[in-house]
Amino acid sequence: MADEYERSAEFVDVMLAPHWAALGPPLAEALQGVTGPIVDVGAGGGHGIRVIAKAVAEAEIVAVEPSMPLRSILLARVNESAELRDRVTVLPEPFSEAVLPPRLGAVVAMNVIGHFDAAGRQALWTVLADRLVPGGRAVLNLEPPAEPMAVPESRFADMRIGRRRYEGWGRAEPAGPDRITWHMTYRTYQDDRLTGVLEARYDWRVLDERRLKEELGRHGLVHHRTGPDELGMYVIDRGET
């Protein structure tokens, strides 16, 4: 499988960092009371790992990240912290091939569910139904759009590091009954002079709350919203009382 982040990882990680200022607090709150092990699906460069580790003290964390350049950032970030080195195991396989603990306290899947086709999602729901311990839960977010549609180009990132400024632009177009293609452009400026342009494409499966509910229901799972509505975050569990 081609690595969609092979060329863009250096931009993706730093441009995601500001978004975690919004995602981090509701994720930490949603994880209150869970136990380990905790699986972070599509852990990327590790922004979520730091939130998880702080929210659930001493829990074992399994970070699944098949993209080599993003995994390199993740492994370096984990290695920088003596605490994370003792708690976090980084797996390079796709989620469908990863060897996970037989029982799980929680599963986190932030900014990643669009990389899963219908079969991949069913595999994920099966893991939740079969392996979550009593009181365990999953936390994920659904990113817009919720249906295949064109998204006009807009700038989603503008940041400065040293003498260089980095811009991220994105637009999307329908690519099938449940899929869109994101077209991303990353521009680099030095002293406001354009020095580089990188273009990348990402396939993304769209998913709305109605379909999420239907798929979860077939596995005996339920969901409810958590965090601010604009973040599209959900907690999934067995509806235990």
Side-chain angles (χ1 to χ4, degrees):
M1 177 183 294
D3 185 347
E4 295 181 318
Y5 297 103
E6 181 177 6
R7 299 168 59 237
S8 62
E10 63 174 306
F11 304 108
V12 169
D13 185 73
V14 296
M15 290 181 179
L16 274 177
H19 297 280
W20 275 98
L23 293 171
L27 173 60
E29 183 176 353
L31 292 175
Q32 292 303 303
V34 305
T35 60
I38 299 172
V39 174
D40 189 2
V41 183
H47 293 294
I49 289 291
R50 293 189 292 197
V51 174
I52 296 167
K54 185 175 181 180
V56 190
E58 300 183 1
E60 177 188 3
I61 302 170
V62 179
V64 180
E65 181 47 66
S67 169
M68 189 275 287
L70 288 177
R71 190 171 64 251
S72 298
I73 300 169
L74 168 63
L75 202 58
R77 191 163 275 152
V78 169
N79 185 57
E80 289 174 351
S81 165
E83 179 194 7
L84 294 183
R85 282 200 305 271
D86 287 340
R87 297 173 56 189
V88 180
T89 300
V90 177
L91 301 183
E93 300 86 4
F95 180 78
S96 60
E97 301 174 12
V99 179
L100 304 176
R103 302 295 281 167
L104 301 173
V107 174
V108 175
M110 299 298 296
N111 303 327
V112 75
I113 199 65
H115 286 305
F116 286 69
D117 60 14
R121 293 195 303 271
Q122 298 313 308
L124 174 58
W125 310 147
T126 298
V127 167
L128 301 186
D130 291 348
R131 303 197 188 194
L132 283 178
V133 301
R137 69 202 68 149
V139 186
L140 59 76
N141 62 332
L142 301 184
E143 298 179 87
E147 59 185 53
M149 61 183 294
V151 179
E153 186 172 50
S154 64
R155 185 173 64 184
F156 62 86
D158 185 358
M159 57 192 303
R160 183 177 293 276
I161 302 176
R163 289 180 176 267
R164 295 208 156 189
R165 184 169 64 86
Y166 303 91
E167 289 184 352
W169 294 77
R171 64 177 178 86
E173 61 185 22
D178 65 346
R179 185 172 62 179
I180 60 175
T181 298
W182 280 103
H183 298 267
M184 316 300 287
T185 303
Y186 304 96
R187 297 189 176 99
T188 302
Y189 298 83
Q190 178 147 345
D191 298 327
D192 294 323
R193 177 176 59 87
L194 183 65
T195 60
V197 177
L198 186 146
E199 295 183 345
R201 295 174 51 183
Y202 309 123
D203 286 330
W204 192 258
R205 271 74 176 186
V206 296
L207 181 66
D208 62 15
E209 186 175 0
R210 178 191 59 79
R211 188 169 180 182
L212 175 67
K213 179 180 180 180
E214 291 176 354
E215 293 185 1
L216 294 175
R218 292 196 287 269
H219 294 266
L221 300 168
V222 298
H223 75 288
H224 65 267
R225 281 185 171 268
T226 190
D229 287 347
E230 64 270 17
L231 297 180
M233 293 178 62
Y234 298 87
V235 170
I236 297 169
D237 56 36
R238 296 192 186 92
E240 299 153 328
T241 57

